[in-house]
């Protein structure tokens, strides 16, 4: 009897330990939910996680209220994707093409989407978000960008101190416009800029429409043929 009671006691202890471990594991899993990787399906009214894009949309009985489902895809580790035109667009990606498609209910338009983290130059459509530090070096008519019909050549200025760009370009922080000129290379405005990065300088000559770096002031101004569009240049200096 004593042996039977001992074995029973030991068995009960083991069972209780296992139950405790299972309960703890379950609680931990609920406290730290695992991220879904790859692709998944959601209703169109559901929030889309950061870094995910909509790769297709379609009618769905499973989504009352909107009647539309999305297939969403995690961009982590991806280089090229086809996304619906209304999809969120993570930073560091550009639109390389635009075209009609049946797979994007709601707009009927898809975009070719590219991660430019490892690129220096890329061709993109004019409706693209432009990554920080990139500039538009040319613009032109193209059939590959339905909706605008205009393409951009984009360049990463990370390793540059001087670059030629079109006047519609975003100007990176710390860069100035030192000249502007008429050019056929920038369809849409017909104006190009010479951009220079302020590094160790304490004095510079810029066009009147140039952004001024933080901590710089205008000391005087004068007429200049080098600043097409305004005809005025500024002498600027570090305050």
């Amino acid at each position: 009897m004593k042996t039977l009671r001992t074995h029973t006691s030991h068995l009960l202890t083991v069972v209780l330990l296992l139950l405790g471990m299972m309960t703890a594991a379950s609680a931990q899993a609920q406290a730290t939910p695992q991220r879904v990787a790859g692709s998944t399906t959601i209703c169109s009214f559901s929030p889309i996680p950061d870094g995910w894009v909509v790769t297709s949309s379609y009618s769905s009985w499973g989504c009352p209220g909107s009647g539309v489902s999305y297939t969403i895809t995690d961009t982590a580790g991806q280089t090229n994707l086809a996304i619906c035109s209304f999809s969120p667009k993570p930073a560091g990606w550009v639109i390389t093409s635009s075209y009609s498609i049946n797979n994007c209910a709601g707009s009927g338009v898809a975009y070719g989407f590219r991660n430019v983290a490892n690129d220096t130059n890329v061709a993109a459509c004019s409706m693209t978000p432009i990554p920080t530090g990139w500039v538009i070096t040319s613009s032109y008519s193209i059939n590959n960008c339905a909706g605008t019909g205009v393409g951009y050549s984009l360049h990463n200025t990370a390793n540059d101190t001087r670059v030629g760009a079109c006047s519609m370009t975003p100007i990176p922080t710390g860069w100035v416009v030192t000249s502007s000129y008429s050019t056929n290379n920038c369809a849409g405005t017909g104006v190009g800029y010479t951009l220079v990065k302020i590094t160790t300088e304490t004095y510079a000559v810029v066009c009147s429409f140039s952004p001024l770096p933080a901590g710089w002031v205008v000391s005087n101004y004068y007429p200049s043929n080098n600043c097409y569009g305004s005809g005025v240049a500024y002498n600027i200096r570090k305050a």
Side-chain angles (χ1 to χ4, degrees), residues 14-34:
V14 170
V15 170
L16 290 173
L17 285 172
L18 288 173
L19 286 172
M21 292 170 64
M22 291 171 64
T23 301
S26 176
Q28 184 179 12
Q30 291 177 9
T32 57
Q34 298 298 307

Side-chain angles (χ1 to χ4, degrees), residues 20-225:
M21 292 170 64
M22 291 171 64
T23 301
S26 176
Q28 184 179 12
Q30 291 177 9
T32 57
Q34 298 298 307
R35 180 177 179 178
V36 178
S39 296
T40 191
T41 300
I42 63 172
C43 292
S44 60
F45 50 78
S46 179
I48 298 172
D50 290 341
W52 289 64
V53 292
V54 180
T55 52
S56 69
S57 68
Y58 47 90
S59 298
S60 172
W61 290 103
C63 292
S66 70
V68 176
S69 285
Y70 288 164
T71 300
I72 61 172
T73 299
D74 190 353
T75 60
Q78 303 280 355
T79 301
N80 291 282
L81 288 167
I83 66 171
C84 294
S85 59
F86 47 79
S87 172
K89 297 167 184 67
W93 289 67
V94 300
I95 299 167
T96 56
S97 63
S98 169
Y99 48 91
S100 298
I101 192 172
N102 294 326
N103 208 31
C104 291
S107 72
V109 176
Y111 290 158
F113 206 43
R114 178 174 177 81
N115 184 343
V116 296
N118 296 317
D119 295 324
T120 301
N121 297 285
V122 69
C125 294
S126 60
M127 77 284 285
T128 190
I130 298 176
T132 300
W134 287 67
V135 296
I136 303 166
T137 56
S138 69
S139 65
Y140 45 86
S141 297
I142 190 172
N143 294 326
N144 205 34
C145 294
T148 66
V150 176
Y152 287 162
S153 296
L154 301 180
H155 175 72
N156 187 349
T157 63
N159 297 316
D160 299 320
T161 56
R162 179 182 294 266
V163 69
C166 293
S167 60
M168 77 285 283
T169 192
I171 299 175
T173 301
W175 289 69
V176 294
V177 181
T178 58
S179 70
S180 65
Y181 46 88
S182 178
T183 178
N184 294 326
N185 207 33
C186 295
T189 66
V191 177
Y193 286 165
T194 300
L195 301 179
V196 173
K197 184 178 182 180
I198 296 293
T199 53
T200 60
E201 296 87 350
T202 57
Y203 167 85
V205 177
V206 303
C207 292
S208 58
F209 42 78
S210 173
L212 292 182
W216 286 68
V217 296
V218 177
S219 55
N220 59 64
Y221 67 94
Y222 55 90
S224 174
N225 293 327

